[in-house]
Amino acid sequence: MILTVGDLVTDVLAVLRAPLAPGSDTPATVHVAGGGQAANTAAWLAAIGAPVTFVGAVGDDQAGRDRLAELHLAGVRTQVSVRPGAATGSIVVLTHEGERTFITDRGANLLLAPADVDAAIGHGGQLLHLSGYTLLDQPSRPAGRRALAAARAAGLRTSVDAASAAPLHAVTTELIDDGPTGHPFLDWVRGVDLLLANTDEATALAGPGTPAEQAMALSYAIGGQVVVKLGPFGALWAGPGGVTHLPTEPAPMVDATGAGDAFAAGLLHAWMSGADPMQCLQAACLLGAQAVGHVGARPPLPR
């Protein structure tokens, strides 16, 4: 069983048919569906047959009920806290020619508590995968840090997705328990078994350099393995054994929303199945390429 911990939101996805025209009208196709990094990864894991439980928080509203129903229909088990008086998170996603802009209301995701993750870990599992947003949002940070510590104490493997470059830059001035020691995010995830980041996130965490140099620096900093996603051009895996690079050709692009979450699902499923780094990257890139071939952050729901 894989536990994914973090965000569940309503995605309002606008696929623009022309560049955004500020202050005026832009033609688009608009879709409303479930989203959120941790929930999306759970949906992709379920789609490839991996037992998975999503752990998070929603509001006591219709959006929360709809989002949970979608996950259940996708085959995802859920252990979710309902927060009365809070709204389920929502994101407006503007996408055009492969570029995405997110306008985010974190909503009830901010209210995830340490006790919520303790309850989920108490039910067992082999891997806990944490959305970095849980750490980057200050109100939910204690739950994210507790999730990693409790999972390690219970003998689970741990993995973290670095989430997003802009909030990573935003927390660089924060102080941690013993004062600043490099990027605070690296202190929060030190000891994790596997860290996932794209090239922008790797630069935010490690500074300038090639992706391979950044990955090795991050691997040393956290004491674990690091995967850096290279977008349409593949990915690399870095750790004590060196760097494994899988180059790929760009896949036909419809919508990149959720591609990184699908990549994570393919990677984690292969990793937990005993695959080597190259096999893990191949599985991850294959599922990521599948994700960009349709609109939306998740695989289509069963009919």
Side-chain angles (χ1 to χ4, degrees), residues 33-300:
Q37 188 178 74
N40 294 342
T41 300
W44 284 103
L45 281 164
I48 56 177
V52 59
T53 296
F54 166 76
V55 183
V58 298
D60 186 11
D61 53 17
Q62 189 60 49
R65 291 185 282 275
D66 289 345
R67 301 294 78 83
L68 291 177
E70 290 164 348
L71 287 177
H72 297 157
L73 186 58
V76 177
R77 303 172 190 175
T78 61
Q79 183 150 340
V80 171
S81 297
V82 178
R83 301 299 194 214
T88 297
S90 57
I91 297 178
V92 176
V93 185
L94 307 179
T95 179
H96 182 248
E97 295 182 346
E99 288 296 325
R100 295 161 298 147
T101 300
F102 301 98
I103 304 167
T104 305
D105 177 357
R106 303 294 295 153
N109 293 296
L110 297 174
L111 303 179
L112 187 67
D116 299 327
V117 296
D118 281 342
I121 292 170
H123 284 92
Q126 289 76 46
L127 166 69
L128 183 140
H129 178 66
L130 179 68
S131 166
Y133 288 108
T134 308
L135 294 169
L136 293 168
D137 290 327
Q138 189 170 12
S140 59
R141 188 173 303 149
R145 299 188 71 177
R146 175 62 184 168
L148 295 176
R152 286 194 290 265
L156 278 66
R157 289 186 182 180
T158 54
S159 59
V160 175
D161 195 308
S164 183
L168 283 170
H169 285 295
V171 300
T172 54
T173 59
E174 290 191 28
L175 299 178
I176 58 171
D177 296 342
D178 298 320
T181 55
H183 198 292
F185 188 86
L186 297 179
D187 290 275
W188 302 332
V189 302
R190 184 164 286 115
V192 73
D193 295 302
L194 181 62
L195 174 66
L196 288 73
N198 64 25
T199 52
D200 290 338
E201 294 153 7
T203 298
L205 290 170
T210 67
E213 291 168 342
Q214 292 168 333
M216 286 302 297
L218 292 174
S219 174
Y220 177 79
I222 68 169
Q225 313 285 328
V226 173
V227 170
V228 174
K229 299 170 281 187
L230 307 177
F233 304 108
L236 56 85
W237 178 299
V243 176
T244 300
H245 178 211
L246 175 68
T248 61
E249 294 295 325
M253 171 76 71
V254 175
D255 173 27
T257 308
D261 306 329
F263 177 101
L267 184 85
L268 296 175
H269 185 237
W271 183 46
M272 294 302 294
S273 300
D276 63 29
M278 180 60 76
Q279 293 168 327
C280 290
L281 295 177
Q282 289 169 337
C285 289
L286 182 64
L287 207 58
Q290 181 179 329
V292 302
H294 74 278
V295 173
R298 298 183 188 169

